[in-house]
Every structure is written in structure tokens, then in C-alpha cells.
Amino acid sequence: MSLLTLLPFIVLIGAMFLMTRSAKKKQQEAIEMRNQMQPGSGVRTIGGMYATVKEVNEDTVLLDAGPGVELLFAKNSIGAVLSDEEYNRIVHGIEHDLKSDVVPDDASSLTETDDSSDAAAASDDTPVDLGKKDAADEPADTADEARAQAQPKKSEGDSDAK
């Protein structure tokens, strides 16, 4: 047998060795992460449930999923141990990074000045005139006048039949 015929087998065995090595490395990191769990830390299970660790045993973990809800899980079912900031962001919606970059719900605080805020507070009670009036609000003579202007005027030579 020559070296050229053995080369594909050598490459295949080398690729299998590298794949199993990386899988073992990931598995070892997961075991270390699960062993570092301690009560009070937030976790995500492999099923996607977020909870707080209440008690850690040899092969099991007691999780607090809410008020009065305690669940017993196998240690292998813990998918990730989360940092406090990440757990609070996901579960409670608390953002710690955004302190001064918060955009208000409305733009009034960005456009108002001290003088205009007093005027805006006083003008909130008055109705806004949008330029449209109802027929009931107009006097009778202006309503008739508007109807007369809306109808087309006929000249002596025009007829409707064509």
C-alpha cells in the first residue's frame, strides 16, 4: 500500500479526532458551569424556563420559578447560568445600562421651554379650531349662501340634454 492510498483515511481520522475534541471541550465547560451554580443565581433550563436557584445538590437542583412554585430539576437540564444583569433584563425587564439615554414617550419635554409650558397648560382647556364647521353651527343665511355657491350656475344657452 502506498502513502497516497492511506492519505484519505488519515485525513478522515484526523477530522473525527478534532470534532470529538471540540465536543468534549464544550461538554467539560457545561459541567464546570453547572458546578459553579449557587443559590440565588438565575438560570435557564434546556426547556427555556427561567428560574432562580434555591438549592444545589449532587445531581439535582431546586429552582424557584415564582411565588410558591419550587421545581426539582436534574443538574443536566440547566442550559445556562445567567448573570444577575442578564437575568433581570430577561425576566423582569429591568435595564441597568440605560440611565441618561432614555427617550421619553412623547416629544413634549424635548420641544417645550419654560415660557411655553405655562402657555401650553393654559391652552389645554380651550378647544382647537381645525377650520371645519358643522352645518348646525353656521347661521342659516351663510348655510343657504354656501349651498347656492356649490350649485353650478346655468347660462341662458346651456341645457342639460346633450
Side-chain angles (χ1 to χ4, degrees):
M1 292 182 126
S2 70
L3 187 59
L4 284 173
T5 56
L6 292 178
L7 187 62
F9 292 114
I10 294 172
V11 171
L12 184 63
I13 291 172
M16 288 174 49
F17 173 74
L18 290 175
M19 285 190 291
T20 57
R21 185 173 151 222
S22 65
K24 283 183 181 180
K25 186 176 179 182
K26 287 181 183 179
Q27 188 177 24
Q28 192 64 27
E29 288 174 357
I31 290 171
E32 287 178 25
M33 179 253 323
R34 290 181 186 120
N35 287 335
Q36 292 176 355
M37 274 189 301
Q38 54 187 332
S41 59
V43 295
R44 182 183 65 236
T45 65
I46 58 173
M49 184 181 74
Y50 293 91
T52 306
V53 176
K54 190 166 186 179
E55 184 179 313
V56 180
N57 297 322
E58 183 80 20
D59 295 327
T60 61
V61 178
L62 184 65
L63 299 178
D64 183 19
V69 180
E70 294 180 352
L71 304 166
L72 187 64
F73 275 82
K75 255 188 180 180
N76 293 340
S77 66
I78 303 301
V81 177
L82 307 172
S83 67
D84 290 337
E85 292 176 3
E86 185 178 9
Y87 181 77
N88 287 332
R89 180 183 59 81
I90 294 170
V91 175
H92 304 296
I94 300 171
E95 294 284 340
H96 291 289
D97 298 335
L98 303 175
K99 292 181 181 167
S100 62
D101 297 337
V102 175
V103 177
D105 290 339
D106 60 347
S108 62
S109 64
L110 300 175
T111 58
E112 288 182 355
T113 61
D114 293 337
D115 298 336
S116 65
S117 62
D118 295 335
S123 67
D124 285 343
D125 298 335
T126 60
V128 177
D129 180 23
L130 299 176
K132 295 183 178 181
K133 299 203 183 244
D134 292 337
D137 294 342
E138 295 181 8
D141 59 72
T142 58
D144 293 335
E145 189 177 296
R147 277 189 222 110
Q149 289 178 356
Q151 293 177 352
K153 296 182 182 180
K154 293 183 181 179
S155 62
E156 293 177 19
D158 290 342
S159 66
D160 290 336
K162 292 194 179 186

